[in-house]
Structure formats: C-alpha cells, structure tokens
Amino acid sequence: MHLMRIGAPGAEKPVVRIDESTYVDVSDLTSDFDERFFGAGGTALIAEEVARRASAGDVLPFKGERIGPPIARPHQILCIGLNYSDHAAETGQAVPDEPILFTKSPNTLVGPNDDVRIPRGATKPDWEVELGIVIGRRTSYLDSVEEAAEAIAGYLVVNDVSERSFQLERGGQWAKGKSAETFNPAGPWLVTPDAVEDPGDLHMWLDLNGVRRQDGNTRTMIFDPLFIVHYLSRFMVLEPGDLINTGTPPGVGMGFDPPVWLRPGDVMELGISGLGTQCQRVVGPR
C-alpha cells in the first residue's frame, strides 16, 4: 500500500493511493497515520477494506490537493550520518565502524512539495536525498537483524536539509544544523514493505534547478535498514511512527569544489525508485 495524507497543513486526511489519479479515503477507518495507528498494526488492519473499496470502484480522484507528509508528526526523527561509502569519500572522512547517530526536531517535518525555508543567519544550506524508515511497533532490544523487518511499517523519500555552518562551525552536535523549520520534507507516500522489492537496491537522485547533483543507489549503504533498526533498538526504545533518515549518497553541496549552497529561488527535485518524487522551492528567512 501507499499511505498518503492530503489537505492543508494541520488538517490532512489519511488516504491510500491506488494509482496516479485515484485514492481510497480511509479517514473513517483511522483519524491519522500516527503512533496509535502504527502501534495497533493499522496497515494490516485496513488492507483488506482498502482492497475491497478499490475493487468496488469506491475511489476518489486527486484534484490537486496539497500532499502532506505521509505520517503525522513523529515522536522522534533519528538520522544516520555518513552511511554511504561514496558520500564518506567525498567528505574526506573515514567509513564509520558503527552508525553515526544524530537527531532532528520532529517539527521539521513537512510535505514533499512544501517550501524549504532558509533560517536566519544561514550561510551554507545544503540538500540530502535519503531513504526514510517508519517504525511500525514499539521496539527495543531486538534479538536479531532479521527481526527488525517486523518492526518496519514502510519506506519513504526524505530530504535531510542541512545548514552546514550551524552543523559544523557552531559547536555541539549536528542537530543545530538539521532542525530548522521545513528541514525534513517527506513523502509523497509511505510504501509498505510488501510493495518495496529491495530496499537495498533503490536508485535515488536529486536535481537542483534542473541540474543532476545526486545520482546514487542504496547499494552503497554501509549499514542497511534492518541493521540500523536492530542497532538503534540496543540504545533506545523506538516508538510506532518514529522516522529514521538513513543517510545520503554523494553529490551534496558541500562536496563540490567550490561548494554549492542553496539560495532563495532554487528548486530541488528528488526521488527514489518506487517511492515517488518531491519538488521544493527554496525561500528566504522569515
């Protein structure tokens, strides 16, 4: 299934995408795709009814509605840094022995086509197309990597927008450069694991103003999604609906010589095979 939320910010309704032009409204089955929904095994609970409605023609046409993030604001957004061997190489850093963990503020979450706003004082805003994982059940101390598969509700496209001067030049942890408003566009939909052929072999790309900047594949991940979920469960409790950003391939702005930074008026287009595409316009500070 492809879970979506459409409508104005703060008033999105949950739907299931059937194809490019139609969806099934499931707002009578769940109030939102949130912690309660995922924790109750919601995707499995609604699957049969969604299939019945789609077969009966009980579908609605998309009419240009805004697409929101496919999940409600999560309990936490966890991020894995330097998780692609070719991205580590472009930054001149060693491949990590264990996943590098940092967090983003949950209120960075926005829709896949919403504006990205550069924060005040920013000088080095950057982009990062990433594979996102959504947790499907309360999870801690998983016994094996294989068991992690049962804890994943689905996969999605995310743009881990970063302000490098805040991240690397202002002291402290990376969260400073990751947590400005609008810095985590997500979606357009959450794809359940049964509909993702191989999370370890997905083409991912990002264009800036029509120029291809990132062109990679999840094959070059150092730590794959199952390992990441298993690993994190050893350090913290993962809650249903939590989002994990799993790292980016090469081609980020700071990797160019000279670096390329985002500016107001820029347009980012990005996507991952089978998971959809995004398009964001960059705007200036408030």
Side-chain angles (χ1 to χ4, degrees):
M1 287 190 297
H2 293 62
L3 308 185
M4 297 182 68
R5 298 167 70 247
I6 60 175
E12 297 94 343
K13 69 176 180 180
V15 306
V16 175
R17 174 184 180 269
I18 302 303
D19 54 37
E20 292 183 358
S21 60
T22 62
Y23 66 87
V24 169
D25 185 346
V26 294
S27 58
D28 61 324
L29 303 178
T30 181
S31 60
D32 211 343
F33 296 140
D34 55 12
E35 180 179 359
R36 178 178 296 182
F37 172 81
F38 292 114
T43 54
L45 294 176
I46 69 171
E48 183 176 347
E49 177 61 14
V50 168
R52 186 196 69 78
R53 293 181 185 184
S55 179
D58 186 11
V59 299
L60 297 169
F62 288 109
K63 296 181 178 179
E65 300 97 333
R66 169 187 172 270
I67 302 173
I71 59 172
R73 183 184 295 185
H75 169 257
Q76 58 185 344
I77 299 177
L78 302 169
C79 306
I80 306 300
L82 294 178
N83 193 33
Y84 283 69
S85 56
D86 38 7
H87 174 53
E90 79 170 339
T91 65
Q93 301 186 65
V95 171
D97 294 325
E98 296 189 46
I100 296 172
L101 175 65
F102 61 94
T103 64
K104 298 188 80 153
S105 174
N107 64 11
T108 59
L109 193 72
V110 294
N113 305 317
D114 291 344
D115 291 344
V116 166
R117 184 174 297 281
I118 295 175
R120 296 179 187 180
T123 58
K124 299 177 180 179
D126 205 347
W127 59 83
E128 296 185 27
V129 59
E130 302 198 7
L131 174 68
I133 301 168
V134 172
I135 296 299
R137 63 175 175 84
R138 200 168 194 265
T139 299
S140 64
Y141 295 113
L142 292 172
D143 291 327
S144 69
V145 170
E146 292 73 24
E147 189 181 356
E150 301 173 5
I152 296 177
Y155 300 93
L156 70 164
V157 183
V158 295
N159 188 355
D160 178 20
V161 184
S162 308
E163 167 46 45
R164 302 299 188 189
S165 65
F166 293 178
Q167 177 187 356
L168 303 174
E169 301 168 14
R170 299 295 298 271
Q173 301 299 311
W174 287 5
K176 284 183 180 178
K178 299 286 186 172
S179 293
E181 61 176 332
T182 75
F183 265 28
N184 207 110
W189 42 73
L190 176 70
V191 183
T192 52
D194 60 292
V196 180
E197 186 171 345
D198 182 2
D201 188 10
L202 299 175
H203 177 232
M204 50 204 311
W205 56 272
L206 183 144
D207 292 348
L208 178 65
N209 301 326
V211 176
R212 182 60 46 94
R213 295 296 188 179
Q214 291 188 272
D215 193 355
N217 193 290
T218 55
R219 287 194 304 265
T220 67
M221 272 188 173
I222 300 165
F223 307 107
D224 67 31
L226 297 188
F227 181 90
I228 290 169
V229 172
H230 174 259
Y231 179 87
L232 294 179
S233 80
R234 315 302 294 179
F235 296 92
M236 66 189 72
V237 176
L238 303 174
E239 300 287 358
D242 280 357
L243 173 61
I244 304 171
N245 296 344
T246 61
T248 196
V252 297
M254 72 174 180
F256 289 91
D257 185 14
V260 179
W261 306 120
L262 295 171
R263 298 175 298 178
D266 284 347
V267 174
M268 294 179 284
E269 298 176 273
L270 58 146
I272 299 178
S273 58
L275 303 184
T277 61
Q278 303 183 355
C279 181
Q280 297 112 32
R281 182 174 62 99
V282 179
V283 299
R286 292 184 183 278

